[in-house]
Amino acid sequence: MNVYQHSGEDCGVRITAADRSAIIIRSNQLIRALLSDTADPNDLFLCLSALSVCLHVLFQYFILQVCIGISAAMLSRLSTSVRPCVSVCRWVHTKEKGKPLMLNPRTNKGMAFTLKERQILGIHGLLPSKIETQDTQAMRFQKNLKKMSDPLQKYIYLMGIQERNERLFYRVLMEDIEALMPIVYTPTVGLACTQYGHIFRRPKGLFISIKDQGHVRSILDNWPETTVKAVVVTDGERILGLGDLGVYGMGIPVGKLCTDNEVESYCCGILFSVQTYITFLLRDPFYMGLYQRRDRSQRYDDLIDEFMEAVVDKYGQDTLIQFEDFGNHNAFRFLKKYREKFCTFNDDIQGTASVALAGLLAARRVVGKPITEHKVLFLGAGEAALGIANLIVMAMMEAGMSQAEARKKIWMFDKYGLLVKGRAYETDSNQEAFVHPDPGEVKSFLDAVNVIKPSAIIGVAGAGRLFSHDVIRAMGSLNEHPIIFALSNPTAKAECTAEDAYSLTQGRCLFASGSPFAPVSLEDGRILTPGQGNNAYIFPGVALAVILSGVRHISDTVFLEAAKTLADQLTDEELSQGRLYPPLSNIREVSLQMAIKVMQYVYSKGMAFRYPEPVDKEAYVRSVVWNINYDSFLPEIYDWPGVSHSPVVD
């Protein structure tokens, strides 16, 4: 490593041309004297000492000239430096410098490396001469983004930024979160998953195949980061409302981690490559998994077991494992199996439930009646519906209602019809709590609305526009302020549009969707902004609180607390605009407040294992969250005042 300064700066060695000539002449004289046959042996020591001084001075001078003349890349091979300085000692312990530092997205700053950093790190000359600010870099990327109209192209471009410069990526994302969240997350991430092999640029996360059984730990050892606090894992079987996408489902863990990086610790996305049963993927030449049918044998369960044990063995018992987009049957099975043994939750069941309940709790301020007086009809009876239903029951029980009475308030309608006793199609064991006596002739969802007379309908079927105009009008006739949640993703799978919901109820409905819809202008001049029931309101804050407090088992009550916290952050002004959730532009602050509240809750309930407990939890949370500002790579240099380096004279 070589540290040097540009011309005009003090280089620490001052030798004039006359001095240099005099030193060279004197050196020649000393050398001739040493080589002379008549040299007095008593003078040899003095000659050698004098010559060494001359050569030392000349050596300093000529090395300086070499430093100025040749490239920094060549100089990095030198094992000595002209000037002893603190930075040399400091950077001995640095793992990365030179080109690898620029290739690592966590440390790369592009042209924002300062001149001193470029010199110290051995990257001077590897970058253009201009030194930019992060403001200029962000402006460049924002300008390029505005030139693009295709969401998939924007996704590819943004992922490219993340692959090169992580802090700049989060800077760009946070400055226009409402516009870019739908690109890096739902709905565009769904499109990206369907095209994942076609737009593939660089691998992200870990891929564990069914063929790797018995070797999962060695695969985890290949992950470059030694400290992992959170893992997002999927097997790709139920990607949003798109179904089984196999290995292409890796876009989901990647997208989740784009919004989950609130804590300055490392996360990892993992996909189990147990293949797919979708024929067109098995015929796709760009498919990135093995060309075989999805393995549903005992080998699959054994692989998941091995993975869970390997994660805690390598990273610790309190490592958060977040399950994403598993098929309905496996999602409930694994949640029940692992929740008391590991620090884990299923975002599709518990995260969706929390954000949906938050919307219902916010709606109380308009409807004017407590949660216990609501009757909810679901379109869909899978993991999302059951997760929401169970959390609503918990909220009703907290308000004083018995579990049995609360469950009577919940109805479900799936592809076979209303969940009622004695129907021809079997119900899943997870659905049994919401199977009721047959209320009468119900052949369609519209019939179910008219017979059950719900105050809220929640769509999580992923089957498209099944909240028909007649269904929406019926809800408007039954309720002064009907609650209509079309939560299926992506946008094409939503049960209805915001425009239909508002216009067909004369703007009286309280609407939320899973994917974003644009504001709606009504005939009376009002402009209503639909709420987006996005899980991103929940899992970053919950994950941050869980990691910081050392929770080892995540109770459903944590998600109930998260729902109440989210609902409380909605202002009256935002509610008057039609929103049921805070604007996405505030999501970072929402996540921080949720982390603070959830931390307070888990410590009060004895769920936390990290002690001593932080006294000021808000200050503690804010001190560890992700910082988009660049770090300085300059070593710490300081003096030792009052210290003498000369020997003590008696």
Side-chain angles (χ1 to χ4, degrees):
M1 180 192 69
N2 183 63
V3 182
Y4 67 101
Q5 294 167 300
H6 283 181
S7 61
E9 299 181 14
D10 182 10
C11 296
V13 179
R14 300 180 181 89
I15 305 176
T16 66
D19 291 336
R20 188 167 67 254
S21 298
I23 292 171
I24 292 173
I25 292 171
R26 181 55 178 160
S27 298
N28 288 332
Q29 292 172 345
L30 291 168
I31 291 171
R32 283 196 298 270
L34 288 170
L35 296 176
S36 173
D37 293 335
T38 60
D40 186 345
N42 295 326
D43 295 332
L44 288 178
F45 178 80
L46 294 176
C47 289
L48 285 171
S49 298
L51 179 61
S52 68
V53 171
C54 293
L55 292 178
H56 175 72
V57 174
L58 289 174
F59 178 76
Q60 275 195 304
Y61 173 80
F62 286 117
I63 285 295
L64 176 63
Q65 303 310 305
V66 171
C67 292
I68 294 175
I70 69 175
S71 70
M74 292 296 293
L75 283 174
S76 66
R77 301 178 185 178
L78 294 176
S79 60
T80 60
S81 176
V82 175
R83 300 169 59 193
C85 65
V86 175
S87 61
V88 176
C89 301
R90 171 85 173 199
W91 283 104
V92 168
H93 304 289
T94 302
K95 291 184 178 180
E96 289 183 341
K97 57 183 177 180
K99 191 75 171 181
L101 193 75
M102 298 167 59
L103 295 176
N104 186 340
R106 291 185 181 273
T107 55
N108 182 34
K109 299 196 289 186
M111 285 189 285
F113 284 107
T114 67
L115 177 60
K116 288 184 178 180
E117 285 177 326
R118 296 180 188 198
Q119 295 171 348
I120 289 173
L121 301 173
I123 59 175
H124 193 52
L126 303 183
L127 292 164
S129 299
K130 181 185 179 184
I131 297 174
E132 287 188 334
T133 65
Q134 192 183 68
D135 293 340
T136 302
Q137 293 176 321
M139 188 189 311
R140 175 185 295 114
F141 284 111
Q142 289 162 349
K143 184 177 180 180
N144 289 336
L145 274 171
K146 289 177 180 177
K147 296 176 183 177
M148 303 176 187
S149 57
D150 180 31
L152 187 58
Q153 289 302 315
K154 289 184 177 182
Y155 174 87
I156 295 170
Y157 184 65
L158 282 166
M159 291 301 101
I161 301 175
Q162 187 188 32
E163 291 167 3
R164 298 191 302 274
N165 187 330
E166 203 166 75
R167 290 184 189 256
L168 180 60
F169 167 77
Y170 284 105
R171 161 76 181 267
V172 173
L173 181 64
M174 289 169 56
E175 287 190 345
D176 198 8
I177 191 73
E178 291 207 60
L180 297 183
M181 180 69 84
I183 302 297
V184 300
Y185 193 47
T186 179
T188 305
V189 71
L191 176 62
C193 284
T194 64
Q195 302 293 316
Y196 204 73
H198 299 252
I199 64 174
F200 181 75
R201 297 291 190 277
R202 179 178 177 181
K204 295 180 179 179
L206 283 175
F207 296 83
I208 301 176
S209 167
I210 191 71
K211 304 294 186 181
D212 295 319
Q213 188 176 347
H215 306 283
V216 172
R217 173 56 194 265
S218 65
I219 293 176
L220 292 183
D221 288 340
N222 290 336
W223 186 246
E225 309 294 351
T226 57
T227 302
V228 171
K229 294 297 183 183
V231 170
V232 180
V233 60
T234 185
D235 70 351
E237 186 174 2
R238 195 200 64 81
I239 299 299
L240 301 177
L242 302 170
D244 188 351
L245 295 184
V247 172
Y248 281 6
M250 180 54 107
I252 294 300
V254 170
K256 290 286 183 180
L257 293 177
C258 286
T259 61
D260 211 1
N261 216 343
E262 288 294 345
V263 65
E264 201 164 23
S265 62
Y266 293 111
C267 304
C268 176
I270 295 178
L271 182 136
F272 291 114
S273 181
V274 291
Q275 311 329 314
T276 178
Y277 63 80
I278 303 300
T279 302
F280 82 86
L281 288 177
L282 296 177
R283 294 174 179 171
D284 182 355
F286 300 114
Y287 183 64
M288 297 156 61
L290 300 177
Y291 289 97
Q292 64 183 49
R293 296 287 178 177
R294 180 172 288 275
D295 194 320
R296 300 187 184 279
S297 67
Q298 182 61 37
R299 293 178 63 201
Y300 171 74
D301 280 30
D302 293 343
L303 180 68
I304 305 298
D305 285 343
E306 181 186 352
F307 164 76
M308 299 296 284
E309 294 291 345
V311 168
V312 299
D313 180 60
K314 182 172 178 63
Y315 300 119
Q317 186 68 42
D318 57 353
T319 305
L320 173 62
I321 304 173
Q322 179 176 327
F323 279 72
E324 283 289 341
D325 289 352
F326 281 71
N328 284 343
H329 176 63
N330 289 330
F332 283 106
R333 213 163 47 88
F334 290 146
L335 180 59
K336 184 177 181 180
K337 181 178 183 179
Y338 296 129
R339 68 185 309 167
E340 298 301 328
K341 300 178 182 178
F342 300 91
C343 179
T344 184
F345 73 93
N346 185 297
D347 189 50
D348 304 297
I349 298 173
Q350 296 161 289
T352 301
S354 189
V355 77
L357 176 59
L360 290 176
L361 295 177
R364 292 181 306 178
R365 290 151 61 179
V366 176
V367 177
K369 61 182 181 181
I371 189 73
T372 53
E373 294 183 20
H374 281 288
K375 187 181 289 186
V376 183
L377 172 62
F378 286 88
L379 178 61
E383 56 191 286
L386 292 169
I388 298 169
N390 283 317
L391 202 62
I392 292 173
V393 169
M394 287 183 64
M396 290 180 172
M397 292 172 63
E398 189 179 61
M401 183 175 279
S402 69
Q403 184 182 67
E405 289 300 313
R407 286 175 171 174
K408 290 179 182 179
K409 298 277 189 176
I410 310 294
W411 292 78
M412 294 190 178
F413 190 100
D414 65 8
K415 60 183 178 180
Y416 302 118
L418 203 61
L419 263 66
V420 293
K421 293 179 179 179
R423 77 172 187 170
Y425 298 96
E426 291 185 6
T427 56
D428 187 276
S429 60
N430 297 298
Q431 300 169 334
E432 288 295 334
F434 304 105
V435 175
H436 305 303
D438 195 334
E441 192 68 18
V442 174
K443 294 183 178 181
S444 66
F445 189 71
L446 177 60
D447 291 338
V449 170
N450 288 324
V451 170
I452 296 169
K453 296 178 172 51
S455 57
I457 55 175
I458 300 177
V460 283
R465 306 289 195 258
L466 296 181
F467 286 177
S468 66
H469 288 193
D470 289 338
V471 166
I472 297 172
R473 289 192 187 98
M475 285 295 295
S477 65
L478 291 169
N479 303 276
E480 176 63 25
H481 294 288
I483 299 172
I484 300 175
F485 287 0
L487 299 182
S488 292
N489 289 312
T491 308
K493 300 290 185 178
E495 286 71 21
C496 70
T497 65
E499 185 174 6
D500 284 346
Y502 287 131
S503 61
L504 295 172
T505 61
Q506 299 78 49
R508 293 181 289 112
C509 81
L510 298 165
F511 177 82
S513 58
S515 292
F517 283 98
V520 176
S521 298
L522 301 178
E523 292 182 356
D524 59 9
R526 286 183 296 159
I527 298 177
L528 297 178
T529 303
Q532 185 185 356
N534 194 323
N535 290 21
Y537 282 114
I538 299 296
F539 63 79
V542 169
L544 179 57
V546 166
I547 291 170
L548 295 182
S549 56
V551 171
R552 295 183 179 176
H553 310 294
I554 306 174
S555 167
D556 283 333
T557 58
V558 169
F559 292 95
L560 179 58
E561 187 68 21
K564 293 188 289 185
T565 301
L566 178 56
D568 289 343
Q569 292 190 69
L570 182 72
T571 66
D572 290 338
E573 180 182 356
E574 292 162 353
L575 189 61
S576 68
Q577 297 169 356
R579 299 179 185 271
L580 291 177
Y581 303 97
L584 272 175
S585 57
N586 296 341
I587 194 167
R588 183 177 175 87
E589 185 61 28
V590 169
S591 296
L592 294 178
Q593 290 299 325
M594 183 168 297
I596 294 163
K597 293 291 185 182
V598 171
M599 276 191 74
Q600 292 171 345
Y601 177 78
V602 297
Y603 273 106
S604 69
K605 298 298 181 181
M607 299 180 188
F609 282 83
R610 183 156 290 126
Y611 286 93
E613 176 182 351
V615 176
D616 188 340
K617 294 179 178 58
E618 179 169 358
Y620 177 56
V621 168
R622 292 186 184 279
S623 71
V624 298
V625 294
W626 182 261
N627 180 10
I628 62 171
N629 297 319
Y630 290 138
D631 289 328
S632 172
F633 291 101
L634 292 176
E636 183 181 6
I637 300 175
Y638 54 94
D639 294 323
W640 288 352
V643 175
S644 172
H645 297 285
S646 301
V648 177
V649 180
D650 294 332

